[in-house]
Amino acid sequence: MNKKFDYKTFKFWDVVKEIDWREACDMHHRNEDVNANDIAKRKFNEIKKSFTDKTERFIFCSQVEKAYDDYRNVLVDAVHSYSAKKYGDRYVFPSVSDDGLWDLTAHIVGLGKEVYYKVVNNPVLIVNYKDDCVENFGYVFH
């Protein structure tokens, strides 16, 4: 683990960067026997181990999961708004199931701050990540 986290001052995007979801997905693409979530969960567990106090660890994990949910929901809203504006229906674009949209938006959060904001600010770009998505990044926190 490269960074020491403090439950009082943690930065969500630093946690995401430390987990390195992109590398986990790349490893999966190179070898389908590799599970991206297993790799990312191991990294998150290493971060959690830095908290010797159970209460601090619980607070930190709760904060990370809440931040993940909030960021993902903002992205879903941006995609639905784009779809409504462009196609007159919030659920037409990007032509994936509800579960597929969940996985795809979670994947984008996992790719980090730069990719996330690029897609939030221009939701049409979400289609560029459909083939890259292998699993749901959010499972890392459960």
Side-chain angles (χ1 to χ4, degrees):
M1 184 172 76
N2 297 329
K3 183 171 179 63
K4 173 73 174 135
F5 290 96
D6 179 323
Y7 80 96
K8 294 177 184 173
T9 60
F10 93 101
K11 304 276 191 285
F12 176 74
W13 293 115
D14 290 341
V15 174
V16 170
K17 185 176 183 178
E18 190 71 28
I19 292 170
D20 200 358
W21 180 245
R22 181 184 305 278
E23 175 60 21
C25 291
D26 288 348
M27 291 173 73
H28 172 84
H29 285 299
R30 290 190 300 266
N31 179 355
E32 289 195 12
D33 291 334
V34 172
N35 183 300
N37 275 111
D38 288 347
I39 294 166
K41 281 180 187 178
R42 277 195 296 274
K43 290 181 179 181
F44 188 59
N45 285 336
E46 287 300 312
I47 295 169
K48 291 189 313 188
K49 283 181 189 175
S50 69
F51 293 94
T52 54
D53 181 275
K54 285 183 179 183
T55 302
E56 288 180 4
R57 183 171 45 243
F58 175 79
I59 292 169
F60 173 77
C61 291
S62 297
Q63 289 172 328
V64 170
E65 188 168 0
K66 171 87 169 86
Y68 156 76
D69 286 338
D70 290 346
Y71 280 113
R72 197 193 68 75
N73 287 329
V74 167
L75 181 55
V76 169
D77 287 344
V79 170
H80 283 163
S81 294
Y82 171 82
S83 183
K85 185 175 180 181
K86 177 82 174 170
Y87 302 102
D89 184 332
R90 290 177 55 84
Y91 306 102
V92 170
F93 178 83
S95 188
V96 293
S97 67
D98 286 343
D99 189 51
L101 184 61
W102 186 297
D103 291 346
L104 183 55
T105 53
H107 176 69
I108 290 168
V109 172
L111 292 176
K113 185 177 183 177
E114 184 179 312
V115 170
Y116 174 82
Y117 282 107
K118 185 167 60 170
V119 177
V120 163
N121 292 320
N122 192 2
V124 71
L125 297 176
I126 197 169
V127 297
N128 296 340
Y129 299 92
K130 283 172 63 173
D131 293 336
D132 189 42
C133 181
V134 295
E135 295 180 40
N136 188 315
F137 175 69
Y139 296 159
V140 169
F141 307 116
H142 301 295

